[in-house]
Amino acid sequence: MKLQLFSTLRDGHRYMKAWPMAKPLGYFFPEYRVVKATSLAIRFMPPFALLAAASQIYLHGWAFLPQAIAIGLFFFSLPLQGMLWLGQRARHPLPLSLLSFGNQVQERLQAIGVAYIPLGAKACYLDMANLLKIAFDRLDASYWDEL
């Protein structure tokens, strides 16, 4: 269980780095919002957790230490929850509709001369993220406006 948790967190981090942060994808995929919220939480929640725990102890005294620890752990766990969700999503297989969309994007990339391996039957969301990242780098904006 412990190794699976760490590998899920590692997959979530890789998925977060691979996902293209493009606004047109935000209408179709929840990853845009989750990646944005998770990266913000990674940045701000650890100091906020310490501040919340310290303020509980400052205002109520050492008798509230268990509550202060619980509040601090809650705020500290928020970025981990986002990374776990992203890690689970990265491993999840693509539905057929997204698989066909990914193959259309791959064909468009191939038409402009970018070689990319087509998504197979065992493709997952991490494969789609890598494909979309290359597509957003190489394809022009008019293609994404058509979506």
Side-chain angles (χ1 to χ4, degrees):
M1 177 69 182
K2 190 187 290 187
L3 293 176
Q4 185 179 7
L5 176 71
F6 289 126
S7 67
T8 303
L9 287 172
R10 186 174 47 244
D11 287 345
H13 188 269
R14 282 191 353 217
Y15 189 51
M16 190 169 81
K17 296 298 178 191
W19 189 259
M21 291 304 291
K23 219 156 195 23
L25 290 178
Y27 300 117
F28 304 109
F29 297 101
E31 281 85 348
Y32 178 78
R33 294 180 298 279
V34 173
V35 167
K36 197 169 210 131
T38 302
S39 64
L40 188 68
I42 286 171
R43 204 165 156 206
F44 291 114
M45 282 303 153
F48 191 67
L50 290 175
L51 180 69
S55 68
Q56 287 293 314
I57 293 172
Y58 178 73
L59 292 175
H60 302 291
W62 287 101
F64 278 74
L65 182 63
Q67 290 89 343
I69 291 172
I71 288 171
L73 288 176
F74 169 73
F75 285 118
F76 188 71
S77 73
L78 290 176
L80 294 176
Q81 292 176 30
M83 296 292 275
L84 283 173
W85 187 89
L86 289 169
Q88 289 291 330
R89 181 75 168 199
R91 293 181 186 165
H92 197 270
L94 286 175
L96 292 177
S97 61
L98 283 180
L99 191 63
S100 65
F101 170 71
N103 286 331
Q104 289 173 358
V105 171
Q106 186 270 332
E107 288 171 2
R108 180 68 68 107
L109 284 173
Q110 196 172 22
I112 64 168
V114 178
Y116 192 82
I117 301 169
L119 298 175
K122 301 223 181 221
C124 59
Y125 278 91
L126 183 60
D127 299 328
M128 179 68 124
N130 291 329
L131 174 67
L132 288 175
K133 186 159 188 119
I134 291 171
F136 266 96
D137 290 342
R138 303 286 172 93
L139 293 176
D140 56 349
S142 64
Y143 176 73
W144 302 109
D145 292 337
E146 294 171 6
L147 294 178

